[in-house]
Amino acid sequence: MPRASIHTLLALALAPLGWAPLLSAQVPGAPPAGLAEAPAEPARVDPALLERTVRYLASDELEGRLLGSAGSRAAAMYLAAELEKLGLEPLGGEISGREPLGGESGGREPLGGESGGREPLGAEDSYLAPLALVQRRFTAAPTLRVKTRDGTWHTLVAGVDFAVVPSGVPAALGELEVRTAATEEDLKQVAAAGVAIALSAPPARSRRWLEAPELAERRPPVVLVPGNRGSGRAIEAGPFGSITKAGPKPGTGGDVAGGTESPASVRLSLHGELAERLAAGEVVGVDFVPNLVSEPVDDSNVIGLLRGAGPPERAAEAIVVSAHRDHIGLQAVGRAGATEEDRVANGADDDASGCAVALELARCLAAGPRPARSVVFVFVTGEEAGMLGSRAYVDAPAWPIERTIANLNLEMLGMPDPLTKGEDGVSRPWLTGFERSTLGEALVALGLPVAVDPRPKLNFFTRSDNVSFAAVGIVAHTLSTGGENPNYHQVRDEWDTLDYAHMARCGEVALGALRAMASGELTPKWHAGEPRLGR
Ligand SMILES: [Zn+2]
């Protein structure tokens, strides 16, 4: 494509939105729209299709798309099916024998073949890149008995009389002697293999004591600490703590899928009268049965590829477009606006809107002509649980990191942001960390109405999936207008609260940015010293 073509495309795309005059004014020499040499009108972001995607992803049927839930998996299958309809190549992780990435041929691998003895895969499955995740679960309420100096065993109720601090998956150890330590020196004196310890120091300090290398061979299996008060609610069988990446975690002895490995120390805080007796050194025995297991969690990123049509070295470069498809699931009545009638935190703006825009970008680019660079579309899961999906992506990238030019992440584009309204009354999407790289200023120079993040103190740059890409050096920003949505993380974040004309305008901005980068015309760079990821 000639150099000016991107401007032509932008002018065509923006003309009906009222931004074309802005574009012509800011890009000297940009040809006016409608020149005879201009390609057939490029595909444009369609508000009706955005609405269709959001209505499904944010429907009550998907129950708020919680990581690891059936609703999240249904969302993944839907997006995979859409990518397949658009003709994108699957870049998931389930099928072995995939052709080398960045290769010349765009051929699809055979489905269901060479899959290592798995069940035959559905057509959409090959877009799924499964994550290695685990969730701890109580198979029954944990039980705890403690013995006081007078020889009495006291049976305590989990959640009411004591709390279990999340840490690994301990095994039941039977009755253990308890020794008391008040200082780090005490601890080093009394610690012995297979002996529980009662500690009365503040948790942060005593945790550090327990990590002392001298204790490596005689770390207490159980540590009892005095607590303030219980939650008042008895623990029942069910999930415990958050879903985490599978594999050993430092200092815990490991969270292994399906196993019941013993961690370094399980920490139990006692409440009420026994907390006082513990602090007084009166607790001499303990018998804790955790009833806790670690189980694998089934969830996946969804990844599709639009292979670049440029020369091989250009087509071997990729732009990653991302949006997170998970949300926070069902809410307890009384929380987040949940009622008996509706407990679904639908996540329409957060982030069905970003997914819908990403899908539209894929559709518009796939409608061709294909860009020079490749474009990877990834619908990540687990953003709400700590960017698990985007971290998994960069750990096992579907496209080589060193050939990934940029990540454009899309978050909460469904409501206009009053702080970035221009004189025309139109709210502009902002780019998180605008000042950190050359991307934002380059997009503005192209005439795209991209704003600076108006709330830098809220650290949005580090609060979405772009940060995982930035952490491995890829120029990565989030495009958003999600600063003030009153329905954020509420049951009310429903499809009918969004402004689809606004979302389409944001989508056009994202499309313009993507076309500029994918054409090879724009290669953003970090400014010196970036990316700084600390606060
Ligand atoms: Zn989000």
Side-chain angles (χ1 to χ4, degrees):
M1 264 186 203
R3 188 180 151 66
S5 64
I6 186 70
H7 299 143
T8 311
L9 289 171
L10 287 172
L12 284 168
L14 295 175
L17 302 169
W19 280 329
L22 174 72
L23 177 74
S24 319
Q26 292 199 0
V27 185
L35 279 188
E37 69 189 68
E41 187 158 339
R44 304 201 29 233
V45 174
D46 182 342
L49 293 178
L50 292 173
E51 182 178 322
R52 190 183 73 175
T53 303
V54 172
R55 282 178 82 145
Y56 177 67
L57 293 178
S59 62
D60 283 358
E61 183 191 336
L62 265 54
E63 299 189 328
R65 309 185 306 275
L66 183 69
L67 174 65
S69 70
S72 175
R73 289 192 293 275
M77 294 306 280
Y78 175 86
L79 291 165
E82 292 296 311
L83 291 179
E84 187 181 38
K85 276 188 226 160
L86 296 175
L88 268 67
E89 292 175 44
L91 268 194
E94 294 212 339
I95 294 181
S96 59
R98 192 164 64 205
E99 72 179 84
L101 293 173
E104 279 149 50
S105 143
R108 304 259 314 253
E109 58 269 20
L111 293 170
E114 299 174 48
S115 58
R118 281 173 172 277
E119 298 274 302
L121 293 164
E124 299 90 1
D125 284 338
S126 50
Y127 292 89
L128 305 187
L131 271 62
L133 301 171
V134 288
Q135 164 85 77
R136 281 169 299 165
R137 188 172 66 82
F138 288 115
T139 54
T143 66
L144 176 65
R145 296 186 310 136
V146 298
K147 184 182 176 187
T148 43
R149 202 173 286 288
D150 56 12
T152 313
W153 282 96
H154 306 257
T155 299
L156 308 188
V157 178
V160 177
D161 302 320
F162 74 99
V164 186
V165 177
S167 158
V169 182
L173 296 161
E175 292 179 14
L176 299 175
E177 177 193 348
V178 174
R179 296 178 187 169
T180 300
T183 66
E184 186 171 13
E185 259 332 288
D186 279 358
L187 175 65
K188 286 177 185 166
Q189 294 279 323
V190 301
V195 169
I197 296 290
L199 275 174
S200 50
R205 203 180 309 161
S206 59
R207 261 194 207 103
R208 208 170 52 239
W209 297 350
L210 288 161
E211 284 162 15
E214 298 96 304
L215 296 180
E217 299 297 312
R218 48 196 176 102
R219 211 173 297 283
V222 174
V223 175
L224 300 170
V225 296
N228 301 324
R229 57 193 165 83
S231 65
R233 210 173 344 182
I235 292 176
E236 291 165 8
F240 176 55
S242 46
I243 293 174
T244 55
K245 196 174 147 182
K249 287 200 288 179
T252 65
D255 233 349
V256 178
T260 51
E261 305 256 318
S262 181
S265 297
V266 61
R267 198 177 187 86
L268 306 172
S269 66
L270 308 192
H271 306 131
E273 190 216 338
L274 275 161
E276 288 161 33
R277 297 183 75 171
L278 182 76
E282 285 182 40
V283 171
V284 297
V286 65
D287 180 8
F288 177 57
V289 182
N291 292 326
L292 193 60
V293 295
S294 180
E295 297 176 330
V297 173
D298 179 11
D299 211 330
S300 307
N301 290 334
V302 179
I303 314 178
L305 168 69
L306 190 77
R307 201 176 286 271
E313 71 278 6
R314 263 290 188 251
E317 295 174 337
I319 313 299
V320 174
V321 174
S322 58
H324 72 89
R325 37 158 270 268
D326 66 303
H327 196 52
I328 57 171
L330 297 171
Q331 304 298 299
V333 173
R335 285 191 56 196
T339 61
E340 296 287 356
E341 291 72 42
D342 186 3
R343 304 198 294 120
V344 180
N346 305 71
D349 197 16
D350 186 12
D351 187 28
S353 68
C355 292
V357 169
L359 212 49
E360 273 297 274
L361 300 188
R363 187 184 63 79
C364 290
L365 284 196
R370 272 206 272 166
R373 282 176 170 147
S374 297
V375 182
V376 175
F377 291 89
V378 52
F379 299 91
V380 297
T381 190
E383 191 267 357
E384 303 286 0
M387 328 246 181
L388 296 176
S390 53
R391 281 159 60 191
Y393 177 94
V394 298
D395 284 350
W399 198 267
I401 298 292
E402 62 279 7
R403 289 186 178 176
T404 300
I405 300 302
N407 162 237
L408 183 64
N409 185 54
L410 305 165
E411 259 275 19
M412 299 182 70
L413 291 162
M415 278 194 183
D417 184 344
L419 291 193
T420 54
K421 257 188 193 155
E423 282 171 14
D424 53 4
V426 173
S427 162
R428 283 135 171 78
W430 30 268
L431 201 60
T432 63
F434 185 105
E435 63 295 337
R436 294 168 181 257
S437 84
T438 59
L439 180 62
E441 52 207 67
L443 297 179
V444 169
L446 284 172
L448 288 166
V450 175
V452 173
D453 176 359
R455 300 173 192 80
K457 290 217 169 89
L458 295 183
N459 286 311
F460 286 134
F461 179 78
T462 58
R463 285 172 55 192
S464 190
D465 289 300
N466 64 291
V467 73
S468 301
F469 295 90
V472 294
I474 296 168
V475 175
H477 298 268
T478 293
L479 195 73
S480 180
T481 50
E484 293 186 17
N485 184 338
N487 302 324
Y488 172 73
H489 282 202
Q490 299 289 307
V491 165
R492 189 69 198 116
D493 185 10
E494 304 261 11
W495 72 269
D496 60 359
T497 63
L498 302 190
D499 176 342
Y500 293 92
H502 162 76
M503 205 191 296
R505 282 192 295 271
C506 294
E508 288 294 332
V509 174
L511 183 57
L514 182 58
R515 286 197 199 279
M517 290 190 283
S519 70
E521 194 168 324
L522 173 56
T523 300
K525 299 285 179 208
W526 291 116
H527 286 309
E530 296 289 356
R532 291 168 293 111
L533 299 180
R535 296 287 160 95

